[in-house]
Amino acid sequence: MKKIKNALISVFYKDKLDIIAKKLDEQGITIYSTGGTYDFIRKNGIEAITVESLTSYPSILGGRVKTLHPKVFGGILFRRDFTGDNNQIKQYEIPEIDLVIVDLYPFEETLAKTDSEAEIIEKIDIGGISLIRAAAKNYKDVLIVPSSADYDALIELLDEKQGSSTIEDRKSFAARAFNVSSHYDTAIFNYFNAGSEIKSFKQSLSNPSVLRYGENPHQEGLYYGKLNEVFEQIHGKAISYNNLVDLDAAINLINEFDNTTFAILKHTNACGIASREKLSDAWADALAGDPVSAFGGVLITNRKIDLGTAEEMNKLFFEIIFAPAYEKNALDLLKSKKNRIILQKKSTSFSKRQFKSILNGVLEQDKDLKTETKDDLETVTVEAPTKKEKIDLIFANKIVKHTKSNTIVLAKDEQLIASGVGQTSRVDALKQAIKKAGEFNFDLKEAVMASDAFFPFADSVEIAHKAGITAVIQPGGSIRDKDSIDYCNENNMSMVFTGTRHFKH
């Protein structure tokens, strides 16, 4: 147990600082402080000593230099059990500083609200980050409080141990300090490296949401991020790990569509999706795509949900609904199931990079942000797709991009008819899709087919043709593309190449 004798306080945020200063004063601890912090403490009737009177130097360069002085850092860094350090402390009349309370200029907050480089640069803290590192390094003798988020923990410690701390306390606070400093430096690095000139993977996220469990009940699950920037949860139970994975897939899919669209997803894949003029029709046709898989699914749309649509939706058990808005009576109806998760979209942007842990490292890549339009379609057959077929081809290609490989998507009249998902061969994916379409009584005559990658042989277009499919969209790029093209030409099918593969693993 070590008694605190002297404290240095230099903070940006002052909430609860009056409580801390009062407790330190009551426990006979001398307070050294800077500028606005000193003024705040004195206004609360508590004695304090200015850092300037300790160093004999004023705050200079517009406040850029206040605490960067040997009399401050010497008092923090000197090793109490080293005779030489003790002799020098006495020689230079440096006070022993046992407690450092400091926080950092709000760099990330400034970055979020302005593009002014001058303002952003001024919010890069120098003295504060140096104090945090110095005190944390010397945790054997010094207690560091690196953030206003730790004020409650300090207040509890001061109450419980009456101005003293154990080595375990100090090491715990030091860990918090290095968490703060590393996060701060990561944010600054990523700002300067916005163009990715330096290939270095640095991410820092704190304060995770504790999930009920991970992918399965025996796995721990945490979410690092700010979900409240993505949506507002209006109703329902806590969101799970799998819910979040499905939501990510659902939001990425629906963002592809501008016209009125409704989608239903299970295990990150669309089992139903349709675009219509009326939302209720989009819902009905999305559900018709696979009413069996829709049970317990994640629902998402890009339009306000009206009462009529909500009445039809309410007939189905589903986990989540995500929409930009809800009519009041529609929302009241959807809330009738207490565990149903109802989310309302917020306006936010997402990173253009993505990463995942793999083996003993991390994979990082650009997100697949390529969405083909009619201008990207190269007709490679004698027969060109009709205007209607082009609309369906682009519709199907948006879905195939967001479906697990190997995948085939069959669509007609801007409705998902069926898909083959996550198969080890493209032919198997196609056969699965055709079988599924038949099970739900869909007529594949004049339907279109989308593939996430090229066809290595002509067998897929042959099977598709025999099922009634008349138009195909695929990336192209196989050394045997001609085989597929020739078959289409011989059987009056149209085929377009996009030149872009959309694998999803």
Side-chain angles (χ1 to χ4, degrees):
M1 192 77 74
K2 180 175 176 55
K3 179 71 176 173
I4 300 168
K5 300 172 187 172
N6 300 305
L8 172 64
I9 308 177
S10 180
V11 297
F12 189 87
Y13 297 105
K14 297 174 178 63
D15 291 347
K16 297 188 179 180
L17 182 61
D18 54 335
I19 299 171
I20 292 170
K22 184 177 179 182
K23 288 183 182 295
L24 295 176
D25 187 57
E26 289 172 350
Q27 293 169 4
I29 298 167
T30 301
I31 298 174
Y32 293 88
S33 194
T34 61
T37 306
Y38 172 83
D39 293 339
F40 178 86
I41 292 170
R42 292 295 293 121
K43 283 178 182 177
N44 278 275
I46 299 163
E47 291 296 322
I49 300 170
T50 63
V51 167
E52 289 87 345
S53 65
L54 171 64
T55 63
S56 299
Y57 271 90
S59 172
I60 61 172
L61 306 181
R64 281 190 166 198
V65 180
K66 294 191 288 278
T67 57
L68 296 168
H69 194 280
K71 281 208 169 183
V72 175
F73 281 85
I76 296 169
L77 283 166
F78 96 89
R79 294 157 290 189
R80 276 64 166 174
D81 54 352
F82 274 46
T83 302
D85 285 9
N86 277 281
N87 290 340
Q88 285 188 321
I89 289 296
K90 291 175 182 175
Q91 178 183 353
Y92 296 109
E93 298 180 338
I94 298 173
E96 179 179 327
I97 297 174
D98 317 289
L99 169 64
V100 175
I101 304 173
V102 64
D103 60 13
L104 301 173
Y105 289 160
F107 177 80
E108 289 179 284
E109 292 87 338
T110 304
L111 193 60
K113 69 182 182 182
T114 183
D115 294 325
S116 167
E117 184 172 309
E119 286 186 50
I120 292 168
I121 296 303
E122 279 308 305
K123 287 299 185 287
I124 297 177
D125 204 308
I126 303 301
I129 201 80
S130 301
L131 290 169
I132 286 173
R133 291 179 63 85
K137 176 178 180 176
N138 205 25
Y139 74 89
K140 286 177 66 178
D141 298 302
V142 181
L143 179 67
I144 172 64
V145 180
S147 165
S148 59
D150 297 310
Y151 286 178
D152 285 338
L154 175 62
I155 291 168
E156 183 180 343
L157 181 68
L158 292 172
D159 285 340
E160 182 183 326
K161 296 179 180 172
Q162 291 299 300
S164 296
S165 65
T166 65
I167 185 69
E168 291 79 15
D169 295 327
R170 296 191 294 278
K171 191 169 185 179
S172 173
F173 274 85
R176 300 182 193 206
F178 286 119
N179 180 41
V180 168
S181 65
S182 63
H183 176 84
Y184 197 75
D185 284 339
T186 297
I188 295 169
F189 168 77
N190 287 332
Y191 168 72
F192 278 92
N193 197 44
S196 299
E197 293 178 9
I198 301 170
K199 298 301 180 186
S200 179
F201 180 80
K202 285 184 172 65
Q203 297 291 328
S204 179
L205 298 166
S206 300
N207 304 316
S209 300
V210 179
L211 307 174
R212 283 176 290 162
Y213 48 79
E215 199 164 6
N216 298 291
H218 63 278
Q219 296 169 266
E220 181 188 24
L222 301 171
Y223 175 76
Y224 292 88
K226 297 176 181 178
L227 289 175
N228 61 341
E229 294 180 358
V230 182
F231 55 74
E232 175 190 357
Q233 181 165 358
I234 298 173
H235 181 76
K237 63 183 179 181
I239 297 175
S240 72
Y241 180 101
N242 291 331
N243 290 156
L244 289 173
V245 174
D246 285 336
L247 273 171
D248 179 68
I251 292 169
N252 286 327
L253 174 61
I254 204 69
N255 283 345
E256 298 281 358
F257 297 90
D258 295 321
N259 48 353
T260 301
T261 302
F262 217 121
I264 306 168
L265 285 85
K266 285 291 285 291
H267 298 289
T268 74
N269 296 301
C271 58
I273 181 169
S275 295
R276 296 289 181 264
E277 288 188 12
K278 287 179 60 180
L279 184 63
S280 58
D281 292 338
W283 159 252
D285 289 341
L287 179 62
D290 186 346
V292 175
S293 296
F295 183 85
V298 171
L299 279 50
I300 190 164
T301 182
N302 56 3
R303 294 293 187 271
K304 178 190 280 190
I305 294 182
D306 57 84
L307 179 59
T309 305
E311 286 173 339
E312 293 303 311
M313 292 165 54
N314 205 45
K315 297 174 182 178
L316 176 75
F317 167 74
F318 57 89
E319 285 266 340
I320 299 175
I321 173 61
F322 184 100
Y326 302 83
E327 290 183 358
K328 185 181 183 306
N329 49 7
L331 184 58
D332 290 341
L333 176 63
L334 292 172
K335 284 181 176 180
S336 62
K337 302 290 191 290
K338 70 174 184 177
N339 287 329
R340 179 180 287 161
I341 297 169
I342 302 176
L343 307 176
Q344 184 161 321
K345 177 185 177 181
K346 288 186 177 179
S347 224
T348 189
S349 58
F350 298 103
S351 171
K352 294 181 180 180
R353 302 282 288 173
Q354 62 184 172
F355 55 88
K356 64 180 177 180
S357 61
I358 187 168
L359 300 176
N360 62 345
V362 174
L363 282 174
E364 183 179 17
Q365 67 172 357
D366 293 329
K367 279 188 175 177
D368 184 358
L369 299 176
K370 173 67 174 175
T371 300
E372 285 75 23
T373 68
K374 62 182 181 179
D375 295 331
D376 297 305
L377 307 186
E378 177 193 358
T379 301
V380 294
T381 51
V382 173
E383 189 83 17
T386 65
K387 182 179 179 181
K388 175 183 173 299
E389 285 174 334
K390 280 186 178 180
I391 292 171
D392 282 341
L393 287 170
I394 290 170
F395 176 85
N397 202 57
K398 289 176 179 179
I399 302 168
V400 89
K401 170 184 168 182
H402 294 278
T403 306
K404 188 173 177 62
S405 299
N406 286 310
T407 182
I408 292 290
V409 165
L410 308 180
K412 185 178 179 180
D413 299 325
E414 293 185 273
Q415 178 187 18
L416 173 62
I417 300 299
S419 59
V421 177
Q423 298 301 301
T424 52
S425 81
R426 206 154 301 282
V427 168
D428 284 345
L430 174 57
K431 289 178 177 178
Q432 181 190 59
I434 292 171
K435 180 175 182 291
K436 198 166 190 179
E439 289 174 351
F440 295 111
N441 301 313
F442 283 108
D443 181 4
L444 290 177
K445 185 180 179 182
E446 298 182 352
V448 305
M449 173 173 71
S451 175
D452 59 337
F454 63 65
F455 296 113
F457 305 102
D459 48 2
S460 291
V461 291
E462 180 180 354
I463 294 168
H465 169 252
K466 290 177 179 177
I469 290 159
T470 55
V472 180
I473 185 169
Q474 60 137 320
S478 168
I479 59 172
R480 300 186 65 170
D481 277 343
K482 188 175 182 299
D483 294 353
S484 296
I485 294 169
D486 288 345
Y487 183 88
C488 289
N489 285 333
E490 291 164 8
N491 292 277
N492 300 316
M493 295 176 72
S494 63
M495 181 185 288
V496 297
F497 285 0
T498 65
T500 303
R501 189 181 73 185
H502 289 296
F503 270 165
K504 184 184 178 189
H505 292 98

